[in-house]
């Protein structure tokens, strides 16, 4: 399905009934990465996934990509779907979008209840890019421009999947490679600029006042467990789940454990 949000078509899926649960994908993937979670959790909850601008079946304009823009798009879609008090889940770049979203829309208004029922921050980090990290984004954008998204798949796969998955799960490797290779260049480059310019979210962590689950794959090389520990230590009452046998895309590498962690978190927040 598609919705016209902030002047572009955003693609989304909306399945099941009950507490709304909205999933935001990683760079440079799309909403299909949440297929195992949608299949299981939509039996009990209203599960929404969206393709961020530049990804999957959403429009991929040349202009403009910032984490604030992604947050505005999310807010627009929530309004379009008349969703209040969602649980918001984001993996890696999806987590960066949630920090931007919380900064813009997550604070209590004084009168009303907190607009977010719960946050799930998976395989992500709160810090901004380092100088070297930013230079790496520029180099990757140049590679995307000269060699196409297939070359980005070659660079990203060893960061996204654990060595064990890379060696023994050709089906999963092919699936992730396809998601990356089909991402439009405006989206790939737009994400890289957006991520390079994102602010430090560590100071925000202490202000987060909604129930939070932090999940990380034990073998995540891109955002290792120490990053998740830092986030969980700074958010009051946050719960930390480390998923054994998973790298960065913990939800695809160990879908059952990942989904179980979400389900048990949702039980605690009612
Ligand atoms: C992602 O999975 O979204 C990326 O690894 C995030 C990043 O490059 O910082």
């Amino acid at each position: 399905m598609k919705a016209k949000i902030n002047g572009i078509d955003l693609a989304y899926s909306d399945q099941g009934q009950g507490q709304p649960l909205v999933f935001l994908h990683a760079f440079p993937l799309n909403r299909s990465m949440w297929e195992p979670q949608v299949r299981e959790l939509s039996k009990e909850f209203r599960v929404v996934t969206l393709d961020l601008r530049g990804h999957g079946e959403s429009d991929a304009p040349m202009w403009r990509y910032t984490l604030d823009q992604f947050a505005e798009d999310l807010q627009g879609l929530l309004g379009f779907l008349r969703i209040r008090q969602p649980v918001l889940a984001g993996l890696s770049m999806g987590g960066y979008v949630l920090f931007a979203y919380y900064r813009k829309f997550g604070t209590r208004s004084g009168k009303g209840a907190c607009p977010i029922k719960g946050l799930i921050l998976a395989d992500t980090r709160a810090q901004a890019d380092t100088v070297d990290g930013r230079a790496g984004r520029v180099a990757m954008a140049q590679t995307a421009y000269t060699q196409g998204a297939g070359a980005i798949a070659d660079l990203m796969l060893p960061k996204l999947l654990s060595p064990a998955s890379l060696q023994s799960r050709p089906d999963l490797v092919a699936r992730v490679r396809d998601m990356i290779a089909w991402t439009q260049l405006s989206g790939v480059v737009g994400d890289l600029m957006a991520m390079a310019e994102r602010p430090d979210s560590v100071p925000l962590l202490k202000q987060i006042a909604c129930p939070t689950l932090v999940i990380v794959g034990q073998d995540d090389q891109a955002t290792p467990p120490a990053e998740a520990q830092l986030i969980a230590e700074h958010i009051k009452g946050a719960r930390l789940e480390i998923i054994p046998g998973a790298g960065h895309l913990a939800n695809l590498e160990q879908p059952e454990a990942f989904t179980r962690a979400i389900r048990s978190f949702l039980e605690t927040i009612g």
Side-chain angles (χ1 to χ4, degrees):
M1 285 175 284
K2 292 204 174 166
K4 184 70 84 186
I5 306 289
N6 297 326
I8 63 164
D9 279 344
L10 277 191
Y12 68 94
S13 306
D14 185 359
Q15 284 178 53
Q17 289 182 343
Q19 168 65 49
L21 186 50
V22 180
F23 285 96
L24 302 178
H25 60 76
F27 164 80
L29 306 180
N30 60 55
R31 72 190 199 277
S32 71
M33 71 168 265
W34 295 114
E35 186 271 328
Q37 285 68 45
V38 173
R39 190 165 10 96
E40 277 308 306
L41 294 168
S42 64
K43 293 174 189 164
E44 288 169 69
F45 305 100
R46 180 179 180 188
V47 180
V48 173
T49 56
L50 73 140
D51 287 337
L52 294 168
R53 62 171 58 212
H55 299 263
E57 297 171 307
S58 288
D59 284 349
M62 290 302 285
W63 193 264
R64 130 174 228 262
Y65 297 82
T66 63
L67 290 165
D68 280 353
Q69 181 65 65
F70 287 137
E72 298 271 2
D73 292 345
L74 171 59
Q75 180 71 347
L77 185 68
L78 293 176
F80 176 83
L81 296 175
R82 297 180 193 282
I83 290 178
R84 293 216 182 111
Q85 293 248 302
V87 172
L88 299 174
L91 191 142
S92 199
M93 185 179 77
Y96 305 161
V97 177
L98 291 184
F99 291 135
Y101 184 86
Y102 197 93
R103 208 175 272 114
K104 271 177 129 23
F105 304 110
T107 46
R108 284 172 194 274
S109 64
K111 286 190 216 141
C114 180
I116 302 170
K117 176 97 176 170
L119 272 183
I120 300 171
L121 299 166
D123 298 276
T124 193
R125 66 156 51 84
Q127 297 95 327
D129 279 358
T130 60
V131 172
D132 285 353
R134 262 183 226 123
R137 306 270 192 214
V138 175
M140 193 181 279
Q142 189 64 21
T143 303
Y145 180 60
T146 54
Q147 297 172 45
I152 301 306
D154 293 338
L155 291 174
M156 287 302 295
L157 277 166
K159 296 181 187 171
L160 296 177
L161 297 172
S162 65
S165 296
L166 285 169
Q167 278 210 328
S168 60
R169 299 190 55 191
D171 50 336
L172 179 59
V173 175
R175 188 168 158 198
V176 176
R177 177 182 290 284
D178 271 5
M179 274 189 249
I180 300 174
W182 284 103
T183 304
Q184 296 202 43
L185 283 185
S186 50
V188 173
V189 173
D191 287 350
L192 289 164
M193 287 185 201
M195 291 191 288
E197 287 172 3
R198 75 187 193 282
D200 183 11
S201 291
V202 175
L204 175 77
L205 300 176
K206 284 206 184 322
Q207 296 166 33
I208 293 181
C210 55
T212 301
L213 169 66
V214 183
I215 312 182
V216 66
Q218 191 169 36
D219 306 320
D220 185 343
Q221 312 278 327
T223 50
E227 304 286 357
Q229 260 148 10
L230 183 141
I231 296 173
E233 276 164 22
H234 284 73
I235 300 178
K236 195 162 174 241
R239 180 167 169 172
L240 174 64
E241 289 279 350
I242 299 179
I243 311 275
H248 192 54
L249 295 184
N251 76 302
L252 283 172
E253 295 186 86
Q254 294 296 341
E256 284 166 23
F258 192 97
T259 304
R260 204 178 313 121
I262 292 182
R263 194 177 264 124
S264 110
F265 170 66
L266 293 174
E267 279 165 11
T268 66
I269 63 175

